[in-house]
mmCIF file of all heavy atoms in Angstrom:
data_model
loop_
_atom_site.group_PDB
_atom_site.id
_atom_site.type_symbol
_atom_site.label_atom_id
_atom_site.label_comp_id
_atom_site.label_asym_id
_atom_site.label_seq_id
_atom_site.Cartn_x
_atom_site.Cartn_y
_atom_site.Cartn_z
ATOM 1 N N PRO A 25 0.813 -1.194 0.027
ATOM 2 C CA PRO A 25 0.008 0.010 0.006
ATOM 3 C C PRO A 25 0.869 1.267 0.001
ATOM 4 O O PRO A 25 2.022 1.215 0.399
ATOM 5 C CB PRO A 25 -0.778 -0.108 1.313
ATOM 6 C CG PRO A 25 0.197 -0.803 2.225
ATOM 7 C CD PRO A 25 0.909 -1.811 1.340
ATOM 8 N N PRO A 26 0.317 2.352 -0.426
ATOM 9 C CA PRO A 26 1.034 3.649 -0.339
ATOM 10 C C PRO A 26 1.270 4.019 1.102
ATOM 11 O O PRO A 26 0.581 3.556 2.013
ATOM 12 C CB PRO A 26 0.097 4.661 -1.003
ATOM 13 C CG PRO A 26 -0.886 3.842 -1.794
ATOM 14 C CD PRO A 26 -0.981 2.513 -1.100
ATOM 15 N N ALA A 27 2.247 4.910 1.319
ATOM 16 C CA ALA A 27 2.522 5.407 2.687
ATOM 17 C C ALA A 27 1.252 6.006 3.279
ATOM 18 O O ALA A 27 0.505 6.669 2.616
ATOM 19 C CB ALA A 27 3.638 6.438 2.645
ATOM 20 N N GLY A 28 1.023 5.722 4.507
ATOM 21 C CA GLY A 28 -0.110 6.265 5.236
ATOM 22 C C GLY A 28 -1.345 5.395 5.155
ATOM 23 O O GLY A 28 -2.316 5.641 5.862
ATOM 24 N N TRP A 29 -1.351 4.349 4.363
ATOM 25 C CA TRP A 29 -2.491 3.468 4.257
ATOM 26 C C TRP A 29 -2.540 2.380 5.293
ATOM 27 O O TRP A 29 -3.632 1.925 5.675
ATOM 28 C CB TRP A 29 -2.534 2.802 2.880
ATOM 29 C CG TRP A 29 -3.007 3.654 1.760
ATOM 30 C CD1 TRP A 29 -2.911 5.017 1.643
ATOM 31 C CD2 TRP A 29 -3.708 3.195 0.569
ATOM 32 N NE1 TRP A 29 -3.457 5.412 0.445
ATOM 33 C CE2 TRP A 29 -3.963 4.321 -0.205
ATOM 34 C CE3 TRP A 29 -4.115 1.946 0.134
ATOM 35 C CZ2 TRP A 29 -4.592 4.229 -1.444
ATOM 36 C CZ3 TRP A 29 -4.749 1.855 -1.086
ATOM 37 C CH2 TRP A 29 -5.005 2.974 -1.853
ATOM 38 N N PRO A 30 -1.424 1.853 5.775
ATOM 39 C CA PRO A 30 -1.465 0.677 6.676
ATOM 40 C C PRO A 30 -2.364 0.850 7.921
ATOM 41 O O PRO A 30 -3.165 -0.041 8.255
ATOM 42 C CB PRO A 30 -0.022 0.427 7.074
ATOM 43 C CG PRO A 30 0.731 0.877 5.863
ATOM 44 C CD PRO A 30 0.007 2.130 5.441
ATOM 45 N N LEU A 31 -2.248 1.961 8.627
ATOM 46 C CA LEU A 31 -3.095 2.136 9.835
ATOM 47 C C LEU A 31 -4.591 2.216 9.463
ATOM 48 O O LEU A 31 -5.375 1.462 10.109
ATOM 49 C CB LEU A 31 -2.633 3.382 10.604
ATOM 50 C CG LEU A 31 -3.460 3.630 11.884
ATOM 51 C CD1 LEU A 31 -3.311 2.441 12.872
ATOM 52 C CD2 LEU A 31 -2.984 4.931 12.554
ATOM 53 N N PRO A 32 -5.029 3.023 8.546
ATOM 54 C CA PRO A 32 -6.468 2.978 8.222
ATOM 55 C C PRO A 32 -6.930 1.611 7.711
ATOM 56 O O PRO A 32 -8.039 1.205 8.027
ATOM 57 C CB PRO A 32 -6.597 4.055 7.099
ATOM 58 C CG PRO A 32 -5.449 4.949 7.267
ATOM 59 C CD PRO A 32 -4.337 4.097 7.832
ATOM 60 N N LEU A 33 -6.077 0.903 6.981
ATOM 61 C CA LEU A 33 -6.457 -0.445 6.521
ATOM 62 C C LEU A 33 -6.610 -1.387 7.704
ATOM 63 O O LEU A 33 -7.562 -2.178 7.731
ATOM 64 C CB LEU A 33 -5.434 -0.976 5.551
ATOM 65 C CG LEU A 33 -5.342 -0.292 4.187
ATOM 66 C CD1 LEU A 33 -4.143 -0.824 3.402
ATOM 67 C CD2 LEU A 33 -6.628 -0.426 3.385
ATOM 68 N N ALA A 34 -5.724 -1.272 8.687
ATOM 69 C CA ALA A 34 -5.818 -2.130 9.885
ATOM 70 C C ALA A 34 -7.065 -1.790 10.672
ATOM 71 O O ALA A 34 -7.784 -2.700 11.142
ATOM 72 C CB ALA A 34 -4.560 -2.003 10.721
ATOM 73 N N VAL A 35 -7.363 -0.504 10.823
ATOM 74 C CA VAL A 35 -8.588 -0.078 11.548
ATOM 75 C C VAL A 35 -9.809 -0.601 10.823
ATOM 76 O O VAL A 35 -10.763 -1.130 11.428
ATOM 77 C CB VAL A 35 -8.629 1.450 11.728
ATOM 78 C CG1 VAL A 35 -9.962 1.900 12.239
ATOM 79 C CG2 VAL A 35 -7.506 1.910 12.664
ATOM 80 N N GLY A 36 -9.830 -0.460 9.462
ATOM 81 C CA GLY A 36 -10.943 -0.951 8.665
ATOM 82 C C GLY A 36 -11.095 -2.457 8.816
ATOM 83 O O GLY A 36 -12.252 -2.950 8.919
ATOM 84 N N SER A 37 -10.015 -3.191 8.864
ATOM 85 C CA SER A 37 -10.080 -4.653 9.046
ATOM 86 C C SER A 37 -10.689 -4.965 10.401
ATOM 87 O O SER A 37 -11.552 -5.863 10.526
ATOM 88 C CB SER A 37 -8.690 -5.296 8.968
ATOM 89 O OG SER A 37 -8.223 -5.275 7.674
ATOM 90 N N GLY A 38 -10.299 -4.206 11.421
ATOM 91 C CA GLY A 38 -10.864 -4.422 12.760
ATOM 92 C C GLY A 38 -12.360 -4.160 12.792
ATOM 93 O O GLY A 38 -13.144 -4.919 13.374
ATOM 94 N N LEU A 39 -12.773 -3.084 12.105
ATOM 95 C CA LEU A 39 -14.194 -2.781 12.045
ATOM 96 C C LEU A 39 -14.960 -3.871 11.256
ATOM 97 O O LEU A 39 -16.081 -4.216 11.638
ATOM 98 C CB LEU A 39 -14.409 -1.404 11.356
ATOM 99 C CG LEU A 39 -13.986 -0.198 12.176
ATOM 100 C CD1 LEU A 39 -14.092 1.088 11.355
ATOM 101 C CD2 LEU A 39 -14.790 -0.116 13.460
ATOM 102 N N GLY A 40 -14.325 -4.401 10.206
ATOM 103 C CA GLY A 40 -14.958 -5.481 9.457
ATOM 104 C C GLY A 40 -15.155 -6.683 10.341
ATOM 105 O O GLY A 40 -16.224 -7.344 10.269
ATOM 106 N N LEU A 41 -14.192 -7.008 11.155
ATOM 107 C CA LEU A 41 -14.336 -8.166 12.060
ATOM 108 C C LEU A 41 -15.416 -7.896 13.089
ATOM 109 O O LEU A 41 -16.163 -8.804 13.468
ATOM 110 C CB LEU A 41 -13.005 -8.501 12.725
ATOM 111 C CG LEU A 41 -11.929 -9.068 11.773
ATOM 112 C CD1 LEU A 41 -10.581 -9.259 12.500
ATOM 113 C CD2 LEU A 41 -12.403 -10.342 11.094
ATOM 114 N N LEU A 42 -15.520 -6.652 13.544
ATOM 115 C CA LEU A 42 -16.588 -6.316 14.484
ATOM 116 C C LEU A 42 -17.948 -6.463 13.848
ATOM 117 O O LEU A 42 -18.860 -7.062 14.463
ATOM 118 C CB LEU A 42 -16.410 -4.850 14.966
ATOM 119 C CG LEU A 42 -17.467 -4.352 15.945
ATOM 120 C CD1 LEU A 42 -17.471 -5.164 17.256
ATOM 121 C CD2 LEU A 42 -17.227 -2.858 16.235
ATOM 122 N N VAL A 43 -18.098 -5.994 12.604
ATOM 123 C CA VAL A 43 -19.362 -6.186 11.894
ATOM 124 C C VAL A 43 -19.686 -7.684 11.749
ATOM 125 O O VAL A 43 -20.790 -8.111 11.929
ATOM 126 C CB VAL A 43 -19.290 -5.525 10.488
ATOM 127 C CG1 VAL A 43 -20.456 -5.926 9.611
ATOM 128 C CG2 VAL A 43 -19.271 -3.987 10.656
ATOM 129 N N ALA A 44 -18.629 -8.464 11.430
ATOM 130 C CA ALA A 44 -18.841 -9.910 11.279
ATOM 131 C C ALA A 44 -19.273 -10.547 12.598
ATOM 132 O O ALA A 44 -20.187 -11.415 12.609
ATOM 133 C CB ALA A 44 -17.536 -10.557 10.805
ATOM 134 N N VAL A 45 -18.676 -10.153 13.730
ATOM 135 C CA VAL A 45 -19.047 -10.731 15.007
ATOM 136 C C VAL A 45 -20.508 -10.359 15.356
ATOM 137 O O VAL A 45 -21.301 -11.196 15.801
ATOM 138 C CB VAL A 45 -18.068 -10.258 16.101
ATOM 139 C CG1 VAL A 45 -18.617 -10.551 17.506
ATOM 140 C CG2 VAL A 45 -16.717 -10.926 15.891
ATOM 141 N N ILE A 46 -20.853 -9.081 15.150
ATOM 142 C CA ILE A 46 -22.266 -8.660 15.423
ATOM 143 C C ILE A 46 -23.189 -9.453 14.510
ATOM 144 O O ILE A 46 -24.263 -9.939 14.958
ATOM 145 C CB ILE A 46 -22.407 -7.155 15.251
ATOM 146 C CG1 ILE A 46 -21.616 -6.405 16.322
ATOM 147 C CG2 ILE A 46 -23.872 -6.725 15.271
ATOM 148 C CD1 ILE A 46 -21.473 -4.919 16.066
ATOM 149 N N GLY A 47 -22.827 -9.579 13.237
ATOM 150 C CA GLY A 47 -23.635 -10.393 12.341
ATOM 151 C C GLY A 47 -23.753 -11.806 12.800
ATOM 152 O O GLY A 47 -24.847 -12.408 12.722
ATOM 153 N N GLY A 48 -22.665 -12.400 13.275
ATOM 154 C CA GLY A 48 -22.696 -13.762 13.773
ATOM 155 C C GLY A 48 -23.649 -13.917 14.978
ATOM 156 O O GLY A 48 -24.377 -14.945 15.050
ATOM 157 N N VAL A 49 -23.619 -12.990 15.870
ATOM 158 C CA VAL A 49 -24.539 -13.023 17.030
ATOM 159 C C VAL A 49 -25.981 -12.963 16.551
ATOM 160 O O VAL A 49 -26.862 -13.717 17.012
ATOM 161 C CB VAL A 49 -24.211 -11.868 18.020
ATOM 162 C CG1 VAL A 49 -25.318 -11.756 19.069
ATOM 163 C CG2 VAL A 49 -22.859 -12.101 18.706
ATOM 164 N N LEU A 50 -26.263 -12.041 15.588
ATOM 165 C CA LEU A 50 -27.628 -11.934 15.092
ATOM 166 C C LEU A 50 -28.051 -13.220 14.327
ATOM 167 O O LEU A 50 -29.218 -13.650 14.403
ATOM 168 C CB LEU A 50 -27.751 -10.709 14.170
ATOM 169 C CG LEU A 50 -27.648 -9.372 14.894
ATOM 170 C CD1 LEU A 50 -27.588 -8.234 13.856
ATOM 171 C CD2 LEU A 50 -28.798 -9.189 15.840
ATOM 172 N N VAL A 51 -27.110 -13.792 13.578
ATOM 173 C CA VAL A 51 -27.422 -15.050 12.892
ATOM 174 C C VAL A 51 -27.792 -16.131 13.922
ATOM 175 O O VAL A 51 -28.761 -16.881 13.721
ATOM 176 C CB VAL A 51 -26.226 -15.542 12.000
ATOM 177 C CG1 VAL A 51 -26.434 -16.933 11.511
ATOM 178 C CG2 VAL A 51 -26.024 -14.589 10.827
ATOM 179 N N TRP A 52 -27.035 -16.193 14.976
ATOM 180 C CA TRP A 52 -27.294 -17.224 16.025
ATOM 181 C C TRP A 52 -28.687 -16.999 16.609
ATOM 182 O O TRP A 52 -29.442 -17.950 16.786
ATOM 183 C CB TRP A 52 -26.200 -17.138 17.103
ATOM 184 C CG TRP A 52 -26.472 -18.114 18.213
ATOM 185 C CD1 TRP A 52 -26.962 -17.830 19.446
ATOM 186 C CD2 TRP A 52 -26.320 -19.507 18.178
ATOM 187 N NE1 TRP A 52 -27.115 -18.971 20.182
ATOM 188 C CE2 TRP A 52 -26.721 -20.030 19.430
ATOM 189 C CE3 TRP A 52 -25.897 -20.406 17.223
ATOM 190 C CZ2 TRP A 52 -26.660 -21.374 19.730
ATOM 191 C CZ3 TRP A 52 -25.846 -21.771 17.563
ATOM 192 C CH2 TRP A 52 -26.234 -22.230 18.799
ATOM 193 N N ARG A 53 -29.007 -15.746 16.891
ATOM 194 C CA ARG A 53 -30.324 -15.449 17.469
ATOM 195 C C ARG A 53 -31.471 -15.753 16.522
ATOM 196 O O ARG A 53 -32.554 -16.053 16.949
ATOM 197 C CB ARG A 53 -30.385 -13.981 17.887
ATOM 198 C CG ARG A 53 -29.552 -13.660 19.073
ATOM 199 C CD ARG A 53 -29.715 -12.207 19.465
ATOM 200 N NE ARG A 53 -28.915 -11.888 20.623
ATOM 201 C CZ ARG A 53 -28.705 -10.683 21.061
ATOM 202 N NH1 ARG A 53 -29.218 -9.639 20.435
ATOM 203 N NH2 ARG A 53 -27.979 -10.453 22.133
ATOM 204 N N ARG A 54 -31.213 -15.662 15.237
ATOM 205 C CA ARG A 54 -32.229 -15.855 14.208
ATOM 206 C C ARG A 54 -32.082 -17.129 13.457
ATOM 207 O O ARG A 54 -32.616 -17.270 12.351
ATOM 208 C CB ARG A 54 -32.216 -14.652 13.260
ATOM 209 C CG ARG A 54 -32.549 -13.388 14.010
ATOM 210 C CD ARG A 54 -32.387 -12.185 13.177
ATOM 211 N NE ARG A 54 -32.752 -11.020 13.947
ATOM 212 C CZ ARG A 54 -32.235 -9.837 13.819
ATOM 213 N NH1 ARG A 54 -31.359 -9.630 12.863
ATOM 214 N NH2 ARG A 54 -32.614 -8.853 14.565
ATOM 215 N N ARG A 55 -31.351 -18.069 14.004
ATOM 216 C CA ARG A 55 -31.016 -19.286 13.281
ATOM 217 C C ARG A 55 -32.224 -20.114 12.871
ATOM 218 O O ARG A 55 -32.122 -20.897 11.929
ATOM 219 C CB ARG A 55 -30.048 -20.151 14.126
ATOM 220 C CG ARG A 55 -30.622 -20.722 15.380
ATOM 221 C CD ARG A 55 -29.515 -21.366 16.250
ATOM 222 N NE ARG A 55 -29.983 -21.803 17.531
ATOM 223 C CZ ARG A 55 -30.083 -21.020 18.604
ATOM 224 N NH1 ARG A 55 -29.760 -19.751 18.527
ATOM 225 N NH2 ARG A 55 -30.498 -21.507 19.733
ATOM 226 N N HIS A 56 -33.346 -19.935 13.458
ATOM 227 C CA HIS A 56 -34.556 -20.676 13.093
ATOM 228 C C HIS A 56 -35.504 -19.825 12.265
ATOM 229 O O HIS A 56 -36.619 -20.241 11.968
ATOM 230 C CB HIS A 56 -35.250 -21.217 14.366
ATOM 231 C CG HIS A 56 -34.375 -22.118 15.164
ATOM 232 N ND1 HIS A 56 -33.933 -23.323 14.673
ATOM 233 C CD2 HIS A 56 -33.880 -21.977 16.414
ATOM 234 C CE1 HIS A 56 -33.151 -23.870 15.609
ATOM 235 N NE2 HIS A 56 -33.119 -23.108 16.667
ATOM 236 N N GLY A 57 -35.064 -18.621 11.932
ATOM 237 C CA GLY A 57 -35.921 -17.706 11.168
ATOM 238 C C GLY A 57 -36.005 -18.064 9.684
ATOM 239 O O GLY A 57 -35.339 -18.964 9.186
ATOM 240 N N ALA A 58 -36.844 -17.310 8.989
ATOM 241 C CA ALA A 58 -37.036 -17.472 7.570
ATOM 242 C C ALA A 58 -35.743 -17.126 6.808
ATOM 243 O O ALA A 58 -34.949 -16.319 7.264
ATOM 244 C CB ALA A 58 -38.168 -16.576 7.079
ATOM 245 N N SER A 59 -35.605 -17.798 5.666
ATOM 246 C CA SER A 59 -34.434 -17.573 4.815
ATOM 247 C C SER A 59 -34.727 -18.000 3.380
ATOM 248 O O SER A 59 -35.463 -18.979 3.179
ATOM 249 C CB SER A 59 -33.225 -18.319 5.336
ATOM 250 O OG SER A 59 -32.148 -18.264 4.422
ATOM 251 N N ALA A 60 -34.138 -17.297 2.451
ATOM 252 C CA ALA A 60 -34.265 -17.696 1.066
ATOM 253 C C ALA A 60 -33.662 -19.092 0.851
ATOM 254 O O ALA A 60 -33.977 -19.804 -0.083
ATOM 255 C CB ALA A 60 -33.630 -16.687 0.149
ATOM 256 N N MET A 61 -32.730 -19.466 1.704
ATOM 257 C CA MET A 61 -32.048 -20.745 1.608
ATOM 258 C C MET A 61 -32.961 -21.913 2.057
ATOM 259 O O MET A 61 -32.590 -23.074 1.861
ATOM 260 C CB MET A 61 -30.771 -20.754 2.435
ATOM 261 C CG MET A 61 -29.761 -19.725 1.977
ATOM 262 S SD MET A 61 -29.014 -20.140 0.404
ATOM 263 C CE MET A 61 -27.755 -21.232 0.981
#
């Protein structure tokens, strides 16, 4: 990456993992709910 990108990229990755964890908790809570699958 260009200079100055590594820290924002790392923060973004951390936020992505946070979104994934929150999504995982919601999936678990709704595991018996309706789905296109």
Side-chain angles (χ1 to χ4, degrees):
W29 282 31
L31 181 59
L33 292 172
V35 169
S37 289
L39 290 173
L41 292 176
L42 179 62
V43 168
V45 167
I46 293 168
V49 169
L50 291 173
V51 169
W52 178 256
R53 288 183 180 169
R54 298 173 179 149
R55 66 189 174 276
H56 301 296
S59 172
M61 298 290 277

